Amino acid sequence: MDHQAPDDPQPGHPQTDDRRLSTRQAAELLGVKPATVYAYVSRGQLTSRRDPVGRGSSFAAREVEELARRSRREASLPQAAAGSELAVRTGITLIEDDRYWYRGVDATELAARHSYEEVADWLWTGVLRRGIRFEAPAQMLAAARRPVAALPEHSGPLDRLRVAAAAAAVADPLRFDLSEEAVLGSARALIPTLVGALPLAGRAHRGTGPLAWQLWSRLTAREADPVALEVLDLALALLIDHDLAASTLAVRVAASARAHPYAVVSAGLGALEGPLHGAAGRLAHRMLAEVVEGGGAAPVVADHLRAGRRVPGLGHRLYRGEDPRATALFARLEALPQAGPALAAARDVVATTAARRPGLHANVDLALAVLTVSCGMPAEAGETVFAVARTAGWIAHALEEYQERPLRMRPSGLYHGPRPPRPMP
């Protein structure tokens, strides 16, 4: 995370501020009723101290002032869609004008120049450490592999990752320490543990290496070549975060309740498995493989349109043009000789669809499908890459949410059932 300097001490008050406020004073400063002040205490947003002289409670002035500042900031947030959507303050990813930035830095340029681990660690800490590697502790990895190996053969990658995350949590007795240093240690251990717990598709690599190198043998039986590994590493870095997607919002809610980082990642994996979120890569892979085998996109696209289905891998609600993640991946895939047929098929899909549905451009799922089809990976490989990559982004959001007041993700329900009182059933 980016670190901010503490507030300068106010004139007349030392750096260690021991000022206390009465309930009435705290209520006036917060602009609420006295009863609401005690509600903040019950939610863990304020701490109170019993007044030894009087009958009431007192509150630390700095704590009340900080809560007041946060409340004013949240009240000033713009309300999207006439207040129908939740707006969450974040400093991680900005999506604007068909581009996206990680903490103000162009994400595609950052991913092109640095490895997945370097980008993830920088996103967490604000410090770029070249050559950093994430390594799984032996005890945690063994604990994750046992239950994953016991799953049925038909289990999908998200099934395995969820089980691995839960097992890794049990192997970390200090998982409830939510200090930044502890969370970062958990994250650097969890991500390679998730990868290492997946079953091998090819020959295992010896020793340690970049995460993309560790993940490769879990995705395909083919030998890895340097260019293909570069494309996989680029895909991982590009997919780390993308603002508040459904899985990331689930992560923020869990972190708001002060769930530990393993539970936070489990929440993200649960939301990711929804067919409208994580399954897009699998659909794009199958469509692209069908186009490559059939020699043309027209009949495949026609089948989708005839059935009233969306053409997989096309369009994105946040971009008017081509998804910048797809653009970056397509450019790197040009240097991968075996990607030629799949690249041509992807271009055919875009051109064929544009003839009837102008304005639909390639998104990252189509570009990821070119990689998975070209390298002999199964249809669910894109799902695996997405989940592993996004874990780093979920941790970044958890770190950010841990700095906010707890349980702030508490929207009010708009009740539309029968009005009480009703007769007892």
Side-chain angles (χ1 to χ4, degrees), residues 107-162:
T108 57
E109 291 184 18
L110 191 69
R113 297 182 185 183
H114 297 284
S115 71
Y116 168 75
E117 291 99 318
E118 290 171 348
V119 176
D121 203 71
W122 171 80
L123 200 63
W124 298 335
T125 67
V127 178
L128 183 65
R129 297 196 292 169
R130 292 187 179 276
I132 187 173
R133 296 283 180 265
F134 298 162
E135 295 185 18
Q139 184 177 359
M140 182 180 289
L141 184 57
R145 280 175 170 169
R146 284 192 293 270
V148 170
L151 291 172
E153 271 190 43
H154 65 264
S155 302
L158 294 180
D159 296 321
R160 297 186 173 106
L161 291 171
R162 283 202 313 276

Side-chain angles (χ1 to χ4, degrees), residues 1 11 22 52 65-66 72 80 99 137 213 222-223 231 243 291 310 315-316 321 334 340 342 382 410 414 418:
M1 294 180 65
S22 67
E65 289 164 357
E66 175 58 25
R72 286 194 296 270
R99 297 171 66 188
W213 180 76
R222 294 187 187 177
E223 288 290 328
V231 178
D243 197 32
V291 173
R310 290 182 54 193
H316 197 290
E334 293 282 359
R410 181 60 169 87
L414 298 176

